Amino acid sequence: RWLSRARPCNLGIETGQSGLVVIDLDVGAGKTVPPQWEQWAGARGGQDVFAALAREHGENPQPDTYTVATPSSGRHLYFQASEAVELRNTCGRLGWCIDTRARGGYVVAAGSATARGSYRVVNGAEVAPLPHWLLQKLTPGPPPPRSGGNASGVTSAAPYVAAAVRYECQAVREAPVGTRNTRLHRAART
């Protein structure tokens, strides 16, 4: 009833609480693939990278699952979350121009509209289970080993911290237009 009275409006889906993992395939918007992802040179965005990854694992590059087109010409692929492993949001973990939304995240639902356009269903199939190869790639690894402490109880984390700061700085520098504020916020939190 609220939606019928509140037009225009947009809806968000809390992915983790909804038992979903959504693969967000962004468009490269004419940018070249960054050096750390040179294996995908020539890719135009997340859809090309996802297709290459799927083929590497012997899977269909266009899975038959509920799919939404975004106003930026990207895609949201919806999958059922695994009950065995709690997955979190990722940014670039699968590859260039690919983010994921799971526990702690949300996506804009089909039917929503922005000044750039609308979110629309392009495959109304049932939400498929998350393929095993994606579950493996998205499952968090063990935490980094703790370095030994000294007599004062202070650990030597300097190399780990330096690497983390370098990674976050690079991610902020390479964030595409339209994502920089969010990426900077993530880096600051990290």
Side-chain angles (χ1 to χ4, degrees), residues 30-45 49 96:
K31 294 194 181 331
T32 57
V33 177
Q36 73 267 29
W37 287 317
E38 64 187 24
Q39 70 269 34
W40 296 302
R44 294 168 302 197
V49 174
W96 181 59

Side-chain angles (χ1 to χ4, degrees), residues 77-162:
L77 306 176
Y78 285 65
F79 293 101
Q80 296 170 17
S82 167
E83 293 182 16
V85 179
E86 180 177 280
L87 300 178
R88 306 285 298 178
N89 300 325
T90 68
C91 180
R93 183 173 186 152
L94 291 175
W96 181 59
C97 289
I98 302 177
D99 298 332
T100 64
R101 296 294 173 256
R103 176 69 58 193
Y106 77 95
V107 292
V108 178
S112 298
T114 68
R116 295 178 67 190
S118 63
Y119 289 78
R120 55 187 172 65
V121 176
V122 292
N123 184 348
E126 291 291 319
V127 175
L130 185 67
H132 185 68
W133 71 272
L134 281 170
L135 178 62
Q136 285 183 316
K137 287 191 160 295
L138 295 173
T139 298
R146 296 184 65 119
S147 56
N150 58 26
S152 68
V154 176
T155 61
S156 176
Y160 174 76
V161 171

